Amino acid sequence: MLKVYTCIATQHDLRLVALAAFICTLASFTAVNLLHHVERSQSEMRRIWLAVAAVATGFGIWATHFIAMLAFQPAVPSGYNVALTIISLLAAIALTGTGLTIGISPRIPRGRWIGGAIVGGGIAVMHYTGMAAFEIAGRVVWDVPLVAASIILGGLFGAAALPVALHANTLKWKALGALVLTVAICSHHFTAMGAAAIMPDPRIVVSATALPADWMAAGVALVSIVIVLLAIIGLALDVRDLRRAGEIARMQELVDAAVEGLIVCNETEIVAANRSFCALACVDGLQPVGRPLTSFFPTASLGELTGTAQRPLEVELCATDGTLVPVELIRHTILYAGKPHQVFAVRDIRGRKRAEEEIHFLAHHDPLTKLPNRTSFNEKLDAELTAHLDTERCLAVLFLDLDRFKEINDLFGHLVGDAVLQCVADKIRSVLKPGQMVARLGGDEFAVIVPGLPSAAYATRTADAILDAFNDAGANLPAGVTIGTSLGIAVFPKDAPDRETLLSHADAALYEAKMQGRGLYRVFEPSMGEHLRDRRKFEHDIRHAISRKQLRLVYQPQAELLSNEIFGFEALLRWDHPDRGAVPPAVFIPIAEECGAILKIGEWVLRTACAEAASWQQPLAISVNVSAMQLHGGNLPELVGAVLKQTGLDPCRLELEITESCMIKDMGRALTALRQLKSLGVQIAMDDFGTGYSSLSNLRAFPFDKIKVDQSLIRTVDTSDEAAAVMRAVFGLARGLKLPVLAEGVETDAELTFLRGEACDAIQGYLLGRPCPISDFAQHTIGNGRAAASRRLGNHELRVINNSAA
């Protein structure tokens, strides 16, 4: 090292040494700066800028060498061989370019270290070629250890220069990289100069063609000017890149604020991506920039992704962890970094897909039981019917509904009813085989498709399995609830040639099963169709009974036992069918409730009875029965208020009779409705007392004005001690609650005598009068009928009223 120092200090012009160091530093920083620009360039421009960077580095190495050589002041004449001088410059540029090319290549392992080492080797080749070009009147004697040291120093610092310079695109790392490269050049040059000893020899003459030092200085100055120009170009590029980086940073901030993923692509690769896309696609932290576009969208071709069509494209995004995410791509062309690029908005549509799947599911399935609905059932049945055409296989359709399901809803409420339906769905599903299907058609109606049967007889096996499942007592059912079912079976093609007929015949077989006792199945027979058609005709007729004026009201008197006077009438409904004759209420009322006609009929009864009572001269009461559907329909109080206003009937004259089953269905709603009715001023009576399920609690909880004891408790009070004891308990309960009691169905003197003895408040029945048109009771509703009704009612008078009413 002392020898090197001595060489620099005693044999060099230090001013030129400083200039050489400055030019070397400027060239190194320029080369590093241009090299970063090379990394950001594409295709042809990348090669051009790589050549410029190689020229800057090669010129810097060459200029540093020859400025230092000009600073070297030997005591003998000297010059420079033109050819070797030019070769040394070209060698510096070529080897530097090779090293830089390898250093920026991502495909070569440890490429930056290898490239830097090649640049260090280029420094050595340039130096010793330049030294060979140095002609002097003497001989150069080399210190081999120092020569080796110079080559090692240039190689080591050169190898470290590129990794440091390319570590990050910041001024700090650029400066560090330029400094390491400067050290590589200078340490090699001055160590190599220290290794050279000049031995004067008068016999050696500098050739006439050798380039004088002055000319060499001019050449070096020209190269230095080129280096300065390249440095200015690099600085301009830096300024431009900084401005563009600022714009890109601002754009990136805006892009990162977007909820949707955004990526910018050249023809094949991603060049920018926002935070939302990275969060969606790069869950393992890998960066998307530089990766092929098709690596994220493998299900789409490059033509689909970069084609001319601008419509949204639904594809699957393959995240870096292998997860597939459905997305929608919307593509536009923009200018990015001064060049046309494609920008993709990547919209995560998993939520939309889930919503679409849910909508599709809801459109084809029952939301309560998750079974296919009627639409899905019909689609499946149509497909199976087509598949079974021209085959020897049969297809069976099983219709089933639950026995007395309405009673479960009335007794336990709709929540329990829903739980029962879910349990039924599970029961049926559990016994079906692959390829068979159960659907909920509505309410408590279910249907099963059993395809591929060898013969029609096999259809009953599925029916037996379903009935066995129902016989599994109480499995998964709410406490206290039992259910049963009836099934109807129709087989294609034996029973019907098409879907509509097949379903109709299965329905007819179900109706027949219910008529024959429930809890069993029936296979369709031709005669069953007549029964079902008759039922459908019956439902149709009852829906049109009002418009056809087939309904009428009859009235049965009600009398007080204490005052022996008739105080009112109960309105009773009758249906006079043109073909069937007089249809009993016990027959048509349940059917009207099942088919929904009871609401319209109930309103007609209420309006007709109130209008009739409002026309009486005597202010007698009128009692009207209310069905469960009317009470829970939600508008009974409004309807009663409107009818009272339209007819002008005093509210206190109207009594609504409500059975306990009406209240059990929904206690809360029933209580609200009854309180609203009471606020109108009407009277509320509990009808059919003694036949319900919770009479005592109902009497305490609901605002009743009267109890009507069912005729089933009256009939045997004179012959049965048990019946008499029950009635006495009823009267005692009523007196305790301060509620009047009306006994229904009183038909004999013995019954009347018992009731008088127990201080019953009022009676109604054939003993007092049969249900008749109101005109038969004109003496009570008009004129002085009140006085006539006020006569002492002994047995004789009761019979007279009975006979006249009959």
Side-chain angles (χ1 to χ4, degrees), residues 302-562:
L302 189 61
E304 289 178 309
L305 295 173
T306 60
T308 58
Q310 298 290 322
R311 66 181 184 277
L313 178 65
E314 287 192 10
V315 297
E316 283 190 329
L317 166 69
C318 180
T320 53
D321 64 348
T323 304
L324 294 178
V325 180
V327 296
E328 181 180 71
L329 298 182
I330 302 175
R331 181 176 59 82
H332 293 286
T333 301
I334 64 167
L335 283 178
Y336 181 82
K339 296 180 180 180
H341 284 73
Q342 303 294 326
V343 59
F344 291 86
V346 184
R347 181 176 301 162
D348 183 356
I349 58 173
R350 284 178 291 190
R352 190 177 80 188
K353 288 292 185 182
R354 285 193 296 268
E356 290 174 354
E357 291 173 0
E358 184 175 353
I359 291 172
H360 182 271
F361 182 87
L362 292 176
H364 292 82
H365 291 78
D366 168 52
L368 176 63
T369 62
K370 310 305 180 188
L371 293 179
N373 60 10
R374 188 182 295 272
T375 300
S376 296
F377 175 82
N378 288 337
E379 292 175 355
K380 170 75 171 177
L381 184 55
D382 286 339
E384 291 292 352
L385 290 177
T386 301
H388 282 73
L389 289 174
D390 302 324
T391 68
E392 296 181 356
R393 294 279 173 170
C394 301
L395 178 144
V397 170
L398 284 66
F399 270 15
L400 64 144
D401 63 11
L402 305 184
D403 295 337
R404 289 175 286 276
F405 179 69
K406 182 177 180 299
E407 295 180 8
I408 295 176
N409 270 337
D410 291 343
L411 286 172
F412 299 97
H414 286 287
L415 289 178
V416 173
D418 289 347
V420 168
L421 292 174
Q422 292 171 332
C423 177
V424 167
D426 292 338
K427 282 178 177 289
I428 300 174
R429 260 194 301 245
S430 67
V431 301
L432 297 185
K433 298 178 180 179
Q436 299 176 353
M437 170 185 176
V438 57
R440 184 188 179 201
L441 304 185
D444 64 331
E445 299 177 355
F446 297 83
V448 178
I449 299 175
V450 185
L453 298 176
S455 66
Y458 280 81
T460 61
R461 296 186 178 184
T462 302
D464 285 327
I466 293 174
L467 289 176
D468 289 341
F470 273 79
N471 290 333
D472 183 10
N476 301 321
L477 284 174
V481 177
T482 59
I483 55 172
T485 186
S486 303
L487 297 98
I489 305 172
V491 179
F492 172 87
K494 180 178 75 71
D495 296 329
D498 54 63
R499 171 163 60 91
E500 289 74 13
T501 308
L502 186 66
L503 298 182
S504 177
H505 288 175
D507 193 22
L510 172 61
Y511 178 71
E512 189 70 18
K514 296 176 75 70
M515 291 300 102
Q516 292 187 14
R518 303 175 182 267
L520 43 79
Y521 66 82
R522 287 291 177 264
V523 180
F524 174 76
E525 296 175 2
S527 61
M528 294 179 180
E530 293 296 329
H531 296 167
L532 183 61
R533 282 189 289 273
D534 183 65
R535 165 69 178 233
R536 298 291 183 258
K537 180 66 166 56
F538 195 93
E539 292 178 356
H540 177 270
D541 290 346
I542 201 169
R543 287 192 182 97
H544 295 84
I546 297 176
S547 60
R548 294 171 180 173
K549 302 185 183 305
Q550 297 172 358
L551 298 181
R552 62 185 175 89
L553 291 183
V554 294
Y555 299 82
Q556 189 172 33
Q558 299 171 334
E560 293 180 353
L561 286 183
L562 182 61

Side-chain angles (χ1 to χ4, degrees), residues 102-103 109-119 155-164:
I102 293 174
R110 304 285 182 179
R112 293 179 180 180
W113 292 93
I114 296 173
I118 292 175
V119 171
L156 289 177
F157 284 110
L162 290 189
V164 173

Side-chain angles (χ1 to χ4, degrees), residues 489-800:
I489 305 172
V491 179
F492 172 87
K494 180 178 75 71
D495 296 329
D498 54 63
R499 171 163 60 91
E500 289 74 13
T501 308
L502 186 66
L503 298 182
S504 177
H505 288 175
D507 193 22
L510 172 61
Y511 178 71
E512 189 70 18
K514 296 176 75 70
M515 291 300 102
Q516 292 187 14
R518 303 175 182 267
L520 43 79
Y521 66 82
R522 287 291 177 264
V523 180
F524 174 76
E525 296 175 2
S527 61
M528 294 179 180
E530 293 296 329
H531 296 167
L532 183 61
R533 282 189 289 273
D534 183 65
R535 165 69 178 233
R536 298 291 183 258
K537 180 66 166 56
F538 195 93
E539 292 178 356
H540 177 270
D541 290 346
I542 201 169
R543 287 192 182 97
H544 295 84
I546 297 176
S547 60
R548 294 171 180 173
K549 302 185 183 305
Q550 297 172 358
L551 298 181
R552 62 185 175 89
L553 291 183
V554 294
Y555 299 82
Q556 189 172 33
Q558 299 171 334
E560 293 180 353
L561 286 183
L562 182 61
S563 62
N564 294 328
E565 69 177 26
I566 293 174
F567 64 85
F569 294 88
E570 180 179 2
L572 301 171
L573 181 62
R574 297 292 183 264
W575 181 20
D576 297 321
H577 193 279
D579 300 322
R580 303 174 188 266
V583 183
V587 174
F588 72 81
I589 291 296
I591 296 177
E593 290 179 340
E594 290 180 12
C595 69
I598 194 66
L599 290 177
K600 188 175 180 182
I601 293 173
E603 181 179 348
W604 180 86
V605 170
L606 181 65
R607 290 184 182 278
T608 304
C610 289
E612 176 61 40
S615 69
W616 301 340
Q617 294 180 8
Q618 297 296 325
L620 302 178
I622 182 71
S623 294
V624 178
N625 287 281
V626 173
S627 72
M629 293 186 67
Q630 286 178 282
L631 183 62
H632 296 283
N635 66 339
L636 181 61
E638 292 84 352
L639 174 62
V640 171
V643 169
L644 291 173
K645 183 177 180 180
Q646 292 166 5
T647 61
L649 181 67
D650 187 346
C652 67
R653 295 176 57 194
L654 175 61
E655 182 178 84
L656 299 178
E657 298 184 6
I658 299 172
T659 63
E660 288 181 294
S661 62
C662 294
M663 298 175 291
I664 293 172
K665 180 179 181 181
D666 189 336
M667 303 283 274
R669 177 175 291 185
L671 182 58
T672 300
L674 292 183
R675 286 174 176 169
Q676 292 174 342
L677 290 169
K678 286 290 293 180
S679 69
L680 297 174
V682 302
Q683 303 296 300
I684 308 293
M686 176 183 279
D687 195 17
D688 298 337
F689 183 81
T691 62
Y693 302 94
S694 55
S695 303
L696 298 181
S697 61
N698 288 339
L699 285 174
R700 183 172 57 84
F702 290 90
F704 292 112
D705 299 295
K706 182 187 296 183
I707 298 173
K708 294 188 70 175
V709 180
D710 187 69
Q711 59 183 349
S712 63
L713 297 180
I714 304 298
R715 286 177 185 155
T716 58
V717 293
D718 57 332
T719 60
S720 171
D721 293 338
E722 291 81 2
V726 170
M727 280 304 303
R728 290 188 183 98
V730 170
F731 289 132
L733 174 65
R735 281 191 292 269
L737 295 172
K738 299 180 181 179
L739 292 176
V741 178
L742 184 147
E744 295 184 291
V746 180
E747 299 181 358
T748 67
D749 291 338
E751 293 169 356
L752 179 62
T753 300
F754 174 84
L755 295 173
R756 282 188 183 279
E758 296 299 328
C760 181
D761 298 286
I763 66 168
Q764 176 183 338
Y766 285 177
L767 185 63
L768 182 61
R770 291 178 178 274
C772 293
I774 197 61
S775 59
D776 292 356
F777 300 104
Q779 72 273 24
H780 301 293
T781 59
I782 62 176
N784 60 354
R786 185 74 175 177
S790 298
R791 293 177 300 168
R792 298 293 297 175
L793 293 181
N795 292 342
H796 175 71
E797 287 78 5
L798 282 170
R799 293 193 186 94
V800 170

Side-chain angles (χ1 to χ4, degrees), residues 181-197:
L181 183 59
T182 300
V183 170
I185 297 172
C186 292
S187 64
H188 171 83
H189 174 81
F190 289 107
T191 302
M193 290 301 296

